Amino acid sequence: MTDNVRRVMSKDGRSNVKIDNVEGMVKLFLHDIWTTVVDIKWRYKITLFASTFVMTWFVFGVIFYLIGLRNGDFHADPSSNHTPCVMNVDSLTGAYLFSLETQTTIGYGFRHISEECPLAILTLVVQLVITGLAEIFVTGAFLAKLARPKKRAGTIKFSRSAVVCKRGRSWCLMVRVANMRNSLLIQCQLSGKLLSTHVTQEGEKTLVHQSSVDFQLDSSGECPFLLLPLTFCHVLDERSPLKSLTADNLSKQDFELLVTLNGTMESTAATCQSRTSYVPQEILWGYEFKPVLSNMSGGKLAADFSFFDKMQACSELPNIHNNTEKLQLEEEYRRE
C-alpha cells in the first residue's frame, strides 16, 4: 500500500536520496580514502585486501628481477666470481617468490639478498616500509568496519506503524521501540523530524521542510537504558508541528516522519543509531499498542514479540472514527 509513496528514508533506515551529477565525485572520494574504504561493501573490501598483497608482491618481484637483470645475474658464468644481488633467483618467478618471502617474513633460507648490491638492499627497505603501511591501512579498515555499530543498530526494532491515542486530555503520537539483545543500550534518546512541503511567506515552495518532533517516555523525557520494549510519545499540542492533525485529515496529509534512536552500547561504550520513517498511511488514529510484557515464574518478565506490532482500540476512546483505508491497513496487520 505504501510502496509508491515518496520516502526520504526507507523503513529499515536506509537513505532513498540519490546523489547525482556531482562534479569531481571520484576526486572527493579519493580525498577521503579512509571513509571510502571503510564504507565499501565487503566483497570489494576483501578484493582490495587480497589485491593489495598480490600486487605488492608482484611489483617488488618485478623490481628485484630488473635489478638482477641489470646486474647480469641471469647470464653470469657459473665459474666466475660474480655475486648476484639476490642469491638463487634466476627468473621472474624466483624474484616473485623472494618478494613474497620478504613481505610475509617467511625467510630467509634458500633465497636471500647479498651484501654486494646496495640498490637491492635499498629496494628491500622501501618494500618493507611501503607494504607495512599498506597492511596497517587495510587491516585497520577491516577492524573499523567490523567494529562499526551498524549491525548493532539492526537489532533495534521499531513498530511497523505509529498510533495516535488519547492520553489524559491530550492526543499523543506513539512509536514502540525494542532492543533485541540482552546487552543494554544506555543514554537512549528518541528524536523525530517531520519532512513536508512548505510555502514561505514570499511564495517560494520548498519540497522538503524539516520540523523537530520531540518524543518523551511516559511522563519523562529521559530514557536511561533500553531493556524492555518501550513506547515513546509525542504530544499533539500547540507546540507540535502536527497540531493540525485529525482523524479526518490524516489520510489526506503529505508528510514523512523520520524517527531516530541514539544510544550507547554498554559493552563497548560506542554510540549507535537506528532509524525508520512513517508516512500517513502507516499512522493509525484511535489505536494503541497491545501489551507485550507478562509475568513469569521466578519473578521474571517475558516480552512476547508476537504482539509487538499488534494494535487495539484505545481504551479511553469509546467512539472510534475511522475510514476504509485505515480499516484495510489494520486488517493487513492482523493477517500478518
Side-chain angles (χ1 to χ4, degrees), residues 126-143:
V126 172
Q127 178 184 9
L128 293 177
V129 172
I130 293 178
T131 56
L133 293 175
E135 290 174 14
I136 292 173
F137 180 85
V138 176
T139 305
F142 255 80
L143 294 176

PDB file of all heavy atoms in Angstrom, residues 126-143:
ATOM      1  N   VAL A 126      62.662  -0.205   1.186  1.00  0.00           N
ATOM      2  CA  VAL A 126      61.473   0.509   0.692  1.00  0.00           C
ATOM      3  C   VAL A 126      60.258  -0.414   0.672  1.00  0.00           C
ATOM      4  O   VAL A 126      59.143  -0.012   1.042  1.00  0.00           O
ATOM      5  CB  VAL A 126      61.758   1.091  -0.707  1.00  0.00           C
ATOM      6  CG1 VAL A 126      60.477   1.656  -1.316  1.00  0.00           C
ATOM      7  CG2 VAL A 126      62.835   2.163  -0.629  1.00  0.00           C
ATOM      8  N   GLN A 127      60.449  -1.665   0.252  1.00  0.00           N
ATOM      9  CA  GLN A 127      59.338  -2.605   0.215  1.00  0.00           C
ATOM     10  C   GLN A 127      58.764  -2.828   1.603  1.00  0.00           C
ATOM     11  O   GLN A 127      57.537  -2.822   1.790  1.00  0.00           O
ATOM     12  CB  GLN A 127      59.774  -3.939  -0.383  1.00  0.00           C
ATOM     13  CG  GLN A 127      58.652  -4.976  -0.405  1.00  0.00           C
ATOM     14  CD  GLN A 127      59.094  -6.324  -0.914  1.00  0.00           C
ATOM     15  OE1 GLN A 127      60.290  -6.546  -1.111  1.00  0.00           O
ATOM     16  NE2 GLN A 127      58.153  -7.219  -1.132  1.00  0.00           N
ATOM     17  N   LEU A 128      59.633  -3.042   2.580  1.00  0.00           N
ATOM     18  CA  LEU A 128      59.151  -3.305   3.934  1.00  0.00           C
ATOM     19  C   LEU A 128      58.395  -2.108   4.501  1.00  0.00           C
ATOM     20  O   LEU A 128      57.385  -2.271   5.190  1.00  0.00           O
ATOM     21  CB  LEU A 128      60.331  -3.670   4.833  1.00  0.00           C
ATOM     22  CG  LEU A 128      61.026  -5.000   4.511  1.00  0.00           C
ATOM     23  CD1 LEU A 128      62.222  -5.217   5.436  1.00  0.00           C
ATOM     24  CD2 LEU A 128      60.050  -6.158   4.613  1.00  0.00           C
ATOM     25  N   VAL A 129      58.860  -0.899   4.217  1.00  0.00           N
ATOM     26  CA  VAL A 129      58.191   0.303   4.731  1.00  0.00           C
ATOM     27  C   VAL A 129      56.833   0.495   4.057  1.00  0.00           C
ATOM     28  O   VAL A 129      55.801   0.683   4.717  1.00  0.00           O
ATOM     29  CB  VAL A 129      59.077   1.543   4.529  1.00  0.00           C
ATOM     30  CG1 VAL A 129      58.298   2.810   4.888  1.00  0.00           C
ATOM     31  CG2 VAL A 129      60.329   1.430   5.382  1.00  0.00           C
ATOM     32  N   ILE A 130      56.811   0.431   2.713  1.00  0.00           N
ATOM     33  CA  ILE A 130      55.568   0.680   1.973  1.00  0.00           C
ATOM     34  C   ILE A 130      54.531  -0.397   2.262  1.00  0.00           C
ATOM     35  O   ILE A 130      53.367  -0.101   2.554  1.00  0.00           O
ATOM     36  CB  ILE A 130      55.862   0.779   0.464  1.00  0.00           C
ATOM     37  CG1 ILE A 130      56.691   2.027   0.173  1.00  0.00           C
ATOM     38  CG2 ILE A 130      54.558   0.804  -0.334  1.00  0.00           C
ATOM     39  CD1 ILE A 130      57.067   2.182  -1.282  1.00  0.00           C
ATOM     40  N   THR A 131      54.935  -1.642   2.186  1.00  0.00           N
ATOM     41  CA  THR A 131      53.968  -2.722   2.413  1.00  0.00           C
ATOM     42  C   THR A 131      53.513  -2.774   3.864  1.00  0.00           C
ATOM     43  O   THR A 131      52.368  -3.153   4.153  1.00  0.00           O
ATOM     44  CB  THR A 131      54.572  -4.074   2.014  1.00  0.00           C
ATOM     45  OG1 THR A 131      55.799  -4.294   2.729  1.00  0.00           O
ATOM     46  CG2 THR A 131      54.860  -4.108   0.520  1.00  0.00           C
ATOM     47  N   GLY A 132      54.389  -2.387   4.782  1.00  0.00           N
ATOM     48  CA  GLY A 132      53.973  -2.321   6.183  1.00  0.00           C
ATOM     49  C   GLY A 132      52.877  -1.296   6.389  1.00  0.00           C
ATOM     50  O   GLY A 132      51.881  -1.555   7.082  1.00  0.00           O
ATOM     51  N   LEU A 133      53.035  -0.119   5.785  1.00  0.00           N
ATOM     52  CA  LEU A 133      51.999   0.913   5.869  1.00  0.00           C
ATOM     53  C   LEU A 133      50.709   0.462   5.191  1.00  0.00           C
ATOM     54  O   LEU A 133      49.602   0.713   5.695  1.00  0.00           O
ATOM     55  CB  LEU A 133      52.510   2.205   5.239  1.00  0.00           C
ATOM     56  CG  LEU A 133      53.671   2.901   5.967  1.00  0.00           C
ATOM     57  CD1 LEU A 133      54.156   4.101   5.162  1.00  0.00           C
ATOM     58  CD2 LEU A 133      53.236   3.331   7.360  1.00  0.00           C
ATOM     59  N   ALA A 134      50.830  -0.194   4.032  1.00  0.00           N
ATOM     60  CA  ALA A 134      49.635  -0.666   3.319  1.00  0.00           C
ATOM     61  C   ALA A 134      48.887  -1.710   4.137  1.00  0.00           C
ATOM     62  O   ALA A 134      47.652  -1.701   4.208  1.00  0.00           O
ATOM     63  CB  ALA A 134      50.035  -1.232   1.965  1.00  0.00           C
ATOM     64  N   GLU A 135      49.614  -2.611   4.784  1.00  0.00           N
ATOM     65  CA  GLU A 135      48.972  -3.639   5.605  1.00  0.00           C
ATOM     66  C   GLU A 135      48.278  -3.028   6.815  1.00  0.00           C
ATOM     67  O   GLU A 135      47.179  -3.450   7.184  1.00  0.00           O
ATOM     68  CB  GLU A 135      50.013  -4.664   6.049  1.00  0.00           C
ATOM     69  CG  GLU A 135      50.530  -5.544   4.921  1.00  0.00           C
ATOM     70  CD  GLU A 135      51.659  -6.454   5.378  1.00  0.00           C
ATOM     71  OE1 GLU A 135      51.849  -6.585   6.611  1.00  0.00           O
ATOM     72  OE2 GLU A 135      52.353  -7.019   4.517  1.00  0.00           O
ATOM     73  N   ILE A 136      48.907  -2.027   7.422  1.00  0.00           N
ATOM     74  CA  ILE A 136      48.275  -1.346   8.558  1.00  0.00           C
ATOM     75  C   ILE A 136      46.979  -0.680   8.124  1.00  0.00           C
ATOM     76  O   ILE A 136      45.953  -0.751   8.813  1.00  0.00           O
ATOM     77  CB  ILE A 136      49.249  -0.312   9.166  1.00  0.00           C
ATOM     78  CG1 ILE A 136      50.425  -1.028   9.837  1.00  0.00           C
ATOM     79  CG2 ILE A 136      48.537   0.589  10.158  1.00  0.00           C
ATOM     80  CD1 ILE A 136      51.510  -0.089  10.302  1.00  0.00           C
ATOM     81  N   PHE A 137      47.007  -0.028   6.957  1.00  0.00           N
ATOM     82  CA  PHE A 137      45.821   0.681   6.469  1.00  0.00           C
ATOM     83  C   PHE A 137      44.684  -0.292   6.181  1.00  0.00           C
ATOM     84  O   PHE A 137      43.548  -0.092   6.634  1.00  0.00           O
ATOM     85  CB  PHE A 137      46.180   1.464   5.203  1.00  0.00           C
ATOM     86  CG  PHE A 137      45.028   2.237   4.621  1.00  0.00           C
ATOM     87  CD1 PHE A 137      44.717   3.496   5.086  1.00  0.00           C
ATOM     88  CD2 PHE A 137      44.249   1.694   3.594  1.00  0.00           C
ATOM     89  CE1 PHE A 137      43.654   4.209   4.562  1.00  0.00           C
ATOM     90  CE2 PHE A 137      43.195   2.398   3.061  1.00  0.00           C
ATOM     91  CZ  PHE A 137      42.897   3.663   3.540  1.00  0.00           C
ATOM     92  N   VAL A 138      44.973  -1.349   5.439  1.00  0.00           N
ATOM     93  CA  VAL A 138      43.921  -2.299   5.056  1.00  0.00           C
ATOM     94  C   VAL A 138      43.399  -3.046   6.281  1.00  0.00           C
ATOM     95  O   VAL A 138      42.192  -3.225   6.449  1.00  0.00           O
ATOM     96  CB  VAL A 138      44.456  -3.281   3.998  1.00  0.00           C
ATOM     97  CG1 VAL A 138      43.413  -4.332   3.679  1.00  0.00           C
ATOM     98  CG2 VAL A 138      44.846  -2.527   2.727  1.00  0.00           C
ATOM     99  N   THR A 139      44.296  -3.480   7.168  1.00  0.00           N
ATOM    100  CA  THR A 139      43.865  -4.184   8.371  1.00  0.00           C
ATOM    101  C   THR A 139      43.046  -3.268   9.275  1.00  0.00           C
ATOM    102  O   THR A 139      42.032  -3.679   9.852  1.00  0.00           O
ATOM    103  CB  THR A 139      45.087  -4.725   9.135  1.00  0.00           C
ATOM    104  OG1 THR A 139      45.867  -5.545   8.263  1.00  0.00           O
ATOM    105  CG2 THR A 139      44.650  -5.541  10.335  1.00  0.00           C
ATOM    106  N   GLY A 140      43.475  -2.000   9.392  1.00  0.00           N
ATOM    107  CA  GLY A 140      42.705  -1.046  10.185  1.00  0.00           C
ATOM    108  C   GLY A 140      41.315  -0.811   9.617  1.00  0.00           C
ATOM    109  O   GLY A 140      40.343  -0.678  10.366  1.00  0.00           O
ATOM    110  N   ALA A 141      41.211  -0.766   8.282  1.00  0.00           N
ATOM    111  CA  ALA A 141      39.897  -0.604   7.656  1.00  0.00           C
ATOM    112  C   ALA A 141      39.008  -1.803   7.929  1.00  0.00           C
ATOM    113  O   ALA A 141      37.793  -1.663   8.143  1.00  0.00           O
ATOM    114  CB  ALA A 141      40.064  -0.390   6.153  1.00  0.00           C
ATOM    115  N   PHE A 142      39.587  -2.999   7.934  1.00  0.00           N
ATOM    116  CA  PHE A 142      38.826  -4.200   8.276  1.00  0.00           C
ATOM    117  C   PHE A 142      38.285  -4.110   9.693  1.00  0.00           C
ATOM    118  O   PHE A 142      37.096  -4.360   9.948  1.00  0.00           O
ATOM    119  CB  PHE A 142      39.714  -5.435   8.124  1.00  0.00           C
ATOM    120  CG  PHE A 142      39.417  -6.250   6.911  1.00  0.00           C
ATOM    121  CD1 PHE A 142      39.902  -5.867   5.680  1.00  0.00           C
ATOM    122  CD2 PHE A 142      38.643  -7.389   6.987  1.00  0.00           C
ATOM    123  CE1 PHE A 142      39.629  -6.612   4.546  1.00  0.00           C
ATOM    124  CE2 PHE A 142      38.356  -8.138   5.862  1.00  0.00           C
ATOM    125  CZ  PHE A 142      38.850  -7.753   4.632  1.00  0.00           C
ATOM    126  N   LEU A 143      39.163  -3.771  10.638  1.00  0.00           N
ATOM    127  CA  LEU A 143      38.746  -3.699  12.037  1.00  0.00           C
ATOM    128  C   LEU A 143      37.709  -2.594  12.251  1.00  0.00           C
ATOM    129  O   LEU A 143      36.771  -2.760  13.026  1.00  0.00           O
ATOM    130  CB  LEU A 143      39.973  -3.468  12.922  1.00  0.00           C
ATOM    131  CG  LEU A 143      40.998  -4.603  12.967  1.00  0.00           C
ATOM    132  CD1 LEU A 143      42.202  -4.206  13.812  1.00  0.00           C
ATOM    133  CD2 LEU A 143      40.358  -5.880  13.516  1.00  0.00           C
TER     134      LEU A 143
END
